[in-house]
Amino acid sequence: MYIAKMSWEEIERIQFDKSVLFLPIAPIEEHGPHLPAGVDCIIAEEACRRSSMKLQKTSSLKPYIFPLIPLGVAVESADFPGTISLPETLFAALIHQTLLNVTRWGFTKCVIVSPHASPAHLACIHAGIQLAQKECAIQIVEPLVQWVFGFSISNTSKRKEAPSSIPDIHAGEYETSMMLHLHPELVKSEKLPYLPERAIENMREPGTWKEKGAIEGYLGTPSKASEEKGKQYIQSLEKWADAALALEKHTNNELPPFISAKVAAILERM
C-alpha cells in the first residue's frame, strides 16, 4: 500500500503493530553523461516495490510505502549540474522529523531504503534515526551502511576484508545495467562504448570526484553494462525485505566505526 494514495481515515485504520513502513530516500544526483539524475530515486522506489511484494509472501507484516524523499547529501558530485546536496544537519533534521511524524501516526517499525551510499548521507540518516529513537518508541533499520561498509567493523569474529580496488560505485556497470533493464529509454546507450573505466584512489580525502579526476561524473565501467546483467542485479533490491524481517526479530546492526564517528559529529552540531 502506498501512503500517498491513502486517505487519513485509511491511514488511521492501519494495524500498526502488524505493519512496517518502507521509507525511500535518495537524492537527485548526476549519474554521468549516459544516465538521468534520478537513478537513485528510481532504484529506491523499485526496491520498495520489490521488497514489499517479497515481504507479503514471507511474513505476516503488512508493508506500506512512504513517498520518495528525493533529497540527501551528495557532496562528492555536488559540482555537477543535476545534483542537490543538503547541509548535513538539515538533512539529519529532515529524517528526524519525518520519523517523528510517522510515529505520531502509529507506525512502530520502519525500514529506510536508500541506495545512495555516500558515507555522509548514511551518517545523516543514522543521526536522524538516533534522535527519533530518543523521543519515541519505533524500531528503525537502515541496512545499506552494513552492506557497503560492514567490513570496517573490527569487533566481530567474521570480519570482512576491505576491498582491494575501487568498486563500481557510481553510474558504472551495475547501475547502468539496472537502468537498461528498468528504463532503457532513459539510458543514452549510444554513449556507452565511449565511456572507459574510471576510478579514483583517494576516495576519503577532501575534494569532489570531479576534482579527483572523474570529470564525466561516473566511477566504474558503464561500457560493460547490459540489460541481461540488469535483470540479474535487480533481484538484489529485494534485500530490504530481509532487513524488515530482521527488524521483526529485533536484530540490531552496529555502525562501522568511521560512520559512528561521523554520526556523533553531526549530532554535536544539531
Side-chain angles (χ1 to χ4, degrees):
M1 293 288 290
Y2 289 87
I3 291 295
K5 296 180 179 181
M6 300 172 66
S7 70
W8 73 264
E9 290 181 322
E10 291 172 320
I11 294 172
E12 187 178 52
R13 289 195 294 268
I14 291 173
Q15 290 183 285
F16 292 105
D17 60 329
K18 299 179 181 179
S19 302
V20 62
L21 181 68
F22 286 103
L23 176 54
I25 305 170
I28 293 291
E29 180 191 25
E30 68 79 25
H31 273 73
H34 59 296
L35 294 177
V39 165
D40 288 347
C41 300
I42 292 169
I43 291 175
E45 292 187 309
E46 181 66 11
C48 287
R49 187 185 72 83
R50 287 177 173 269
S51 293
S52 177
M53 291 176 62
K54 180 178 179 179
L55 197 64
Q56 291 181 69
K57 297 175 182 178
T58 58
S59 171
S60 59
L61 284 174
K62 186 176 175 77
Y64 290 86
I65 300 175
F66 194 81
L68 171 77
I69 298 177
L71 299 168
V73 177
V75 292
E76 300 89 348
S77 60
D79 48 5
F80 281 95
T83 296
I84 294 179
S85 184
L86 296 183
E88 292 178 349
T89 53
L90 177 60
F91 181 54
L94 172 64
I95 301 304
H96 172 212
Q97 291 299 320
T98 300
L99 291 170
L100 287 184
N101 274 273
V102 299
T103 302
R104 178 173 55 80
W105 300 350
F107 279 106
T108 60
K109 299 179 182 67
C110 178
V111 177
I112 292 181
V113 181
S114 182
H116 179 65
S118 165
H121 174 84
L122 294 174
C124 289
I125 289 175
H126 282 274
I129 289 173
Q130 289 187 18
L131 288 172
Q133 289 184 319
K134 288 180 180 179
E135 299 179 46
C136 55
I138 184 170
Q139 294 175 275
I140 310 164
V141 64
E142 187 294 300
L144 188 72
V145 71
Q146 280 284 337
W147 298 340
V148 176
F149 300 110
F151 63 80
S152 62
I153 296 177
S154 59
N155 61 345
T156 174
S157 59
K158 296 183 179 180
R159 181 181 177 183
K160 303 174 186 176
E161 294 301 321
S164 58
S165 60
I166 299 301
D168 187 86
I169 62 171
H170 186 69
E173 177 188 335
Y174 178 73
E175 288 186 320
T176 304
S177 292
M178 285 208 291
M179 288 299 293
L180 283 170
H181 176 64
L182 288 173
H183 292 286
E185 76 281 3
L186 299 180
V187 181
K188 294 178 173 57
S189 299
E190 72 279 4
K191 293 181 179 288
L192 299 184
Y194 307 101
L195 299 176
E197 181 180 13
R198 287 286 183 265
I200 52 180
E201 298 299 327
N202 51 347
M203 292 294 289
R204 293 190 186 176
E205 293 183 9
T208 67
W209 288 339
K210 189 175 186 178
E211 291 169 342
K212 297 174 185 179
I215 58 174
E216 300 97 336
Y218 69 90
L219 291 171
T221 315
S223 61
K224 292 183 179 179
S226 70
E227 191 278 336
E228 185 59 32
K229 290 178 181 176
K231 188 176 181 180
Q232 298 172 8
Y233 295 154
I234 209 73
Q235 304 302 319
S236 67
L237 300 185
E238 297 179 0
K239 293 202 303 182
W240 274 277
D242 300 334
L245 292 171
L247 183 62
E248 190 176 21
K249 297 174 184 176
H250 307 288
T251 301
N252 292 319
N253 288 324
E254 180 185 359
L255 290 178
F258 81 99
I259 296 289
S260 182
K262 181 69 173 173
V263 170
I266 293 169
L267 291 174
E268 285 182 0
R269 303 201 307 270
M270 294 183 72

